[in-house]
Amino acid sequence: QQQVKQSPQSLIVQKGGIPIINCAYENTAFDYFPWYQQFPGKGPALLIAIRPDVSEKKEGRFTISFNKSAKQFSLHIMDSQPGDSATYFCAATLTGANNLFFGTGTRLTVIP
Amino acid sequence: DVKVTQSSRYLVKRTGEKVFLECVQDMDHENMFWYRQDPGLGLRLIYFSYDVKMKEKGDIPEGYSVSREKKERFSLILESASTNQTSMYLCASRKLGSYNEQFFGPGTRLTVL
């Protein structure tokens, strides 16, 4: 059973567009929601993370929006660039958990 | 600069062979993980180790075992490789604590013929 559901599976946008990747979860005990970015041939790396006590977090061109009541969170990439082309994974965890529960990933392609 | 290294980038084995995947981290992290990554399925946890000689099963441990004799090294073992174990295998490490960042290695692409 997938603890975190992610969509879309793939996404193609023009340079300068704002791709949006969505994730949903069921376990209301989750209290930490990171996003990982993976370039081809590399392992995933932490991009940005949010706690449920805030509705939005920005780091540079990357923004997480969090809706606690809907149990959903999303990643927005402002002014997307070809260098943002990668696979993005959302994840969730809770206090005392050993591991992260990952979404299935979104392959983003930004066309110049 | 933090570093997680994996012994091979690409590996080709035959059905029934015993396969060892090695992972080494230089950050003195307590926790180490083995995941497999498959298209459309994301990252699935195979095994987790929270300390030397300690291990816990993840979501898909069947057909795998692990060994952690030293803090910096975590090995994944396929006792008798099968074609359905063809996948990308990722190792990660993390300082003790649920919210701490996981640092991933570059992955090993294993093909079982």
Side-chain angles (χ1 to χ4, degrees):
Chain A
Q1 184 185 354
Q2 196 73 32
Q3 297 261 8
V4 179
K5 295 183 179 173
Q6 182 172 349
S7 63
Q9 190 168 358
S10 63
L11 191 53
I12 301 173
V13 299
Q14 295 277 355
K15 177 183 172 182
I18 305 175
I20 301 172
I21 304 169
N22 300 298
C23 289
Y25 63 97
E26 287 299 323
N27 188 343
T28 54
F30 285 150
D31 58 4
Y32 179 67
F33 302 88
W35 285 86
Y36 279 74
Q37 180 188 52
Q38 183 182 28
F39 292 107
K42 305 282 188 184
L46 180 65
L47 180 64
I48 186 173
I50 196 169
R51 298 280 183 94
D53 53 344
V54 296
S55 60
E56 186 176 278
K57 183 172 181 181
K58 282 186 183 180
E59 285 187 9
R61 295 183 293 107
F62 298 91
T63 299
I64 302 178
S65 297
F66 188 83
N67 186 330
K68 190 174 182 178
S69 60
K71 292 186 287 185
Q72 294 176 349
F73 58 110
S74 59
L75 178 70
H76 301 233
I77 305 176
M78 305 301 175
D79 186 27
S80 59
Q81 302 295 314
D84 296 329
S85 297
T87 299
Y88 293 82
F89 293 96
C90 61
T93 192
L94 62 156
T95 305
N98 293 328
N99 60 293
L100 291 167
F101 297 94
F102 283 94
T104 50
T106 296
R107 188 168 187 172
L108 172 67
T109 303
V110 181
I111 300 170
Chain B
D1 200 16
V2 297
K3 205 165 185 182
V4 178
T5 56
Q6 295 183 228
S7 51
S8 304
R9 294 302 302 273
Y10 300 94
L11 209 52
V12 180
K13 296 291 181 181
R14 298 221 172 260
T15 302
E17 280 192 79
K18 190 168 186 176
V19 182
F20 292 87
L21 302 182
E22 303 283 336
C23 175
V24 177
Q25 52 98 359
D26 65 358
M27 296 165 280
D28 201 36
H29 285 170
E30 294 84 5
N31 301 159
M32 295 187 76
F33 307 81
W34 275 107
Y35 294 89
R36 64 177 282 178
Q37 180 178 5
D38 300 288
L41 297 177
L43 300 169
R44 294 181 292 166
L45 182 67
I46 305 171
Y47 266 97
F48 161 71
S49 170
Y50 50 93
D51 205 345
V52 176
K53 297 190 188 292
M54 300 298 197
K55 61 186 179 185
E56 282 190 17
K57 292 179 180 179
D59 300 320
I60 51 165
E62 296 78 18
Y64 303 95
S65 62
V66 290
S67 172
R68 191 161 180 209
E69 296 296 318
K70 294 185 177 181
K71 191 175 184 181
E72 68 271 17
R73 189 178 297 268
F74 192 33
S75 302
L76 180 69
I77 304 153
L78 288 67
E79 294 289 341
S80 178
S82 62
T83 55
N84 63 12
Q85 292 178 310
T86 291
S87 185
M88 171 68 81
Y89 289 88
L90 289 163
C91 174
S93 74
R94 180 187 73 182
K95 185 176 174 57
L96 187 67
S98 301
Y99 305 144
N100 290 327
E101 177 180 354
Q102 288 193 21
F103 292 88
F104 284 84
T108 296
R109 170 74 64 185
L110 172 67
T111 302
V112 183
L113 301 175

